[in-house]
Amino acid sequence: MKKRVYFDKFGEMKFISHLDLLRFFDRLLKKSQIPVKYSQGFHPRPKMSFGSPVSLGTEAYDELMDFELETPMSNEEVFKRLNSSNVVGFRVNKVEEVPRKSSIMEEYTVMIYEIEGSEEDISKLEELLNRDEIVEVKEKKGKIATRDLKVRIKSFKRDNNKITMEIINTSPNSYLELVGIEQQDVKIKRCGYKINS
């Protein structure tokens, strides 16, 4: 039996890394006495999978996590147990059953972000997003790699000093870097995913 958990990570919890998040869930599942299925071998790991990692310092809402149960348990019971620890900066919004073959990384590639900052910074970002081409050039292992970030933008809109954007498997930090905006100078929030259409 496979469960999908929708959860929020905010406040102090936004400063934990993806690796720390894996450890956190491992401990939370044990503490909540949820019979999760483990892999075989010398170092058994809980059978869990997540959506795309979120950057350190970014609040994330309606994040996704799948795990397999060793013995059946209702969605309501899983929900109640996961929230019973009352972890500051963490909450589970929903639990549902999913087909075993279902994969978060394959089904949810479009991420929704909100970026809020000064009028100057948001105007610089808006100008970049309106370009016909957004070319990122990076050096990797001595080789120059280029990619067009424009094709990864599904949509964006500006509301005062906030931009909401839907992007495909990309961090908004890539766009901020291109216009010289420091991550700590803006407030970035991931607001969930859109299922592939």
Side-chain angles (χ1 to χ4, degrees), residues 1-139:
M1 185 183 280
K2 192 174 181 181
K3 300 289 187 185
R4 179 160 294 162
V5 175
Y6 296 77
F7 67 95
D8 298 340
K9 180 171 81 82
F10 53 95
E12 291 302 305
M13 282 288 284
K14 72 181 181 181
F15 295 111
I16 73 165
S17 68
H18 188 66
L19 194 59
D20 288 333
L21 187 65
L22 299 179
R23 295 190 191 108
F24 165 77
F25 262 103
D26 189 11
R27 288 196 301 269
L28 182 64
L29 288 163
K30 283 176 183 168
K31 187 180 177 185
S32 306
Q33 297 184 316
I34 292 171
V36 66
K37 192 177 275 189
Y38 278 76
S39 61
Q40 304 297 309
F42 291 112
H43 301 288
R45 302 259 184 231
K47 290 199 167 185
M48 308 187 287
S49 57
F50 290 80
S52 182
V54 66
S55 299
L56 206 65
T58 299
E59 290 192 345
Y61 296 86
D62 270 339
E63 284 296 294
L64 301 166
M65 187 272 269
D66 285 354
F67 70 92
E68 289 186 40
L69 281 170
E70 192 70 66
T71 54
M73 185 177 280
S74 71
N75 296 337
E76 293 76 19
E77 187 62 26
V78 172
F79 176 85
K80 189 173 79 176
R81 291 192 187 193
L82 287 175
N83 275 328
S84 66
S85 293
N86 294 317
V87 179
V88 176
F90 171 84
R91 69 174 160 252
V92 170
N93 300 318
K94 185 170 71 167
V95 176
E96 63 186 20
E97 208 162 313
V98 289
R100 201 171 288 273
K101 62 183 180 183
S102 176
S103 164
I104 294 171
M105 292 298 274
E106 287 175 11
E107 292 173 25
Y108 295 87
T109 57
V110 179
M111 292 163 272
I112 306 160
Y113 282 94
E114 280 183 4
I115 302 159
E116 199 168 352
S118 68
E119 186 177 352
E120 182 188 355
D121 282 343
I122 297 304
S123 293
K124 281 198 287 188
L125 180 60
E126 182 183 31
E127 188 276 323
L128 175 78
L129 299 178
N130 274 318
R131 290 180 196 172
D132 293 333
E133 221 180 20
I134 305 172
V135 180
E136 178 190 63
V137 181
K138 283 198 170 179
E139 191 176 327

